[in-house]
Amino acid sequence: MARQARSLAGKVVVITGGGRGIGAATAKLLAEEGALVAIGDLDEKLAKETAASVGGTTVGMALDVTDHAGYTAFLDEVERELGPIDVLVNNAGIMPLNRIEDEPASSTHAQFAVNVHAVIHGTKEAVRRMKPRGGGHIVNVSSAAGRIPVAGGATYTATKHAVSGFSNALHIEFKADKTPIHITAVHPAMVRTELSKGMKDNKGVSPVTPEQVAEAVLDALRRPRPDVYVPKSLGVALKTGALYPRRFGEWLNKVLGGERAALDAIASPERQDYENRVAQSAPGAEKERIA
């Protein structure tokens, strides 16, 4: 018998990196379900504009996820304004592309600061709040790169493997301790956002939209499970592919166009606006690195 879907009406949901893309689409969908949504984004103006367009009980606030003290203060402010947090969606993430020898140290540091350290910090804060209250749900947005290597995005791949492993380990930890908190890692294929600008489609898995990822997040919140793949066929392909020798997998990746998808996008003019923006996306971590 299928589990009864949980209602999100009246639940307080926090979404990091919620000003655009997957975060904005998720905010819209959850607000339509009656959730009280807090959008955090480095661009405060964008966060407020997105919150206004989403409607319902939605607020937009400034959030630099790489400033851990600031992240904690942001969660405190959300709870003062909307109430105890029921759901945290760690969505903020960056994907600058470089061959490894060309990747600046600042980029390496920023990717881990945004994609990994912020996820860990946010999760810790959520658990500290949710556990005494007897429940909650944490959704960490990983990537297909958390399962499949991306040439031209080696550091990004490392960060998403980290998010996937971190989330799966906590799933087991919570079960062992009987902690009443659900945790889900979401693994989208290439998403049609700024992050994938300049990258050619993989012939094996079609790109997905932010709205499709948002639907998957909503479904996971209604019926909790540890891993979600977007599209669902991606999960099937990964499980099937694991049965074949590595050499075959690499050959197939080459044939389908995945081998060079990111490599050939590195110098693409289409990516320049995105690359310039993400180079400034971890101010808290940059201050710490320079200090």
Side-chain angles (χ1 to χ4, degrees):
M1 182 181 294
R3 288 173 296 174
Q4 184 175 356
R6 299 190 305 167
S7 171
L8 292 168
K11 300 294 185 183
V12 176
V13 180
V14 172
I15 304 172
T16 70
R20 53 168 63 83
I22 293 171
T26 303
K28 183 175 186 298
L29 201 58
L30 297 187
E32 289 172 356
E33 293 291 315
L36 286 59
V37 182
I39 293 172
D41 200 281
L42 189 60
D43 186 336
E44 183 177 12
K45 182 172 180 288
L46 179 63
K48 291 184 181 299
E49 288 174 350
T50 301
S53 69
V54 166
T57 305
T58 307
V59 297
M61 303 180 188
L63 171 63
D64 171 12
V65 294
T66 67
D67 173 0
H68 292 179
Y71 193 165
T72 299
F74 161 79
L75 294 177
D76 289 339
E77 179 60 26
V78 170
E79 295 202 319
R80 281 192 292 270
E81 189 157 342
L82 299 181
I85 296 166
D86 298 294
V87 176
L88 170 65
V89 181
N90 277 311
N91 167 71
I94 58 173
M95 189 180 77
L97 298 179
N98 276 297
R99 286 177 172 79
I100 194 60
E101 69 271 23
D102 298 326
E103 182 175 281
S106 58
S107 177
T108 306
H109 190 73
Q111 288 180 74
F112 273 92
V114 176
N115 298 357
V116 181
H117 299 156
V119 170
I120 293 173
H121 178 75
T123 300
K124 284 180 179 178
E125 281 293 328
V127 171
R128 288 168 181 156
R129 295 158 196 264
M130 295 173 178
K131 198 170 184 177
R133 298 169 187 159
H137 199 144
I138 299 163
V139 176
N140 293 330
V141 179
S142 181
S143 165
R147 295 283 191 266
I148 305 170
V150 177
T155 298
Y156 176 77
T157 299
T159 65
K160 292 306 183 178
H161 271 67
V163 171
S164 177
F166 173 72
S167 303
N168 290 168
L170 284 186
H171 170 69
I172 295 170
E173 182 176 316
F174 293 161
K175 284 187 70 175
D177 279 348
K178 294 183 173 55
T179 300
I181 298 174
H182 297 286
I183 187 160
T184 300
V186 179
H187 310 275
M190 188 189 300
V191 185
R192 293 193 185 280
T193 63
E194 281 185 300
L195 185 142
S196 65
K197 284 286 183 70
M199 295 178 66
K200 294 178 181 176
D201 293 355
N202 188 312
K203 298 171 188 175
V205 181
S206 299
V208 296
T209 65
E211 290 72 25
Q212 285 176 283
V213 182
E215 287 281 0
V217 171
L218 173 60
D219 190 52
L221 291 174
R222 285 172 167 167
R223 296 178 177 85
R225 53 196 182 278
D227 286 293
V228 171
Y229 296 91
V230 191
K232 289 182 180 179
S233 59
L234 174 63
V236 176
L238 289 172
K239 289 170 186 175
T240 303
L243 301 175
Y244 292 96
R246 177 169 181 161
R247 184 175 295 180
F248 173 78
E250 291 178 355
W251 171 82
L252 186 61
N253 190 37
K254 181 177 182 178
V255 169
L256 296 177
E259 182 183 72
R260 297 204 59 86
L263 281 172
D264 291 343
I266 290 173
S268 170
E270 295 176 72
R271 286 193 65 81
Q272 290 315 300
D273 286 346
Y274 173 76
E275 294 284 348
N276 292 338
R277 180 168 65 79
V278 298
Q280 310 298 321
S281 61
E286 187 62 15
K287 289 177 185 175
E288 179 184 293
R289 189 176 76 88
I290 293 172

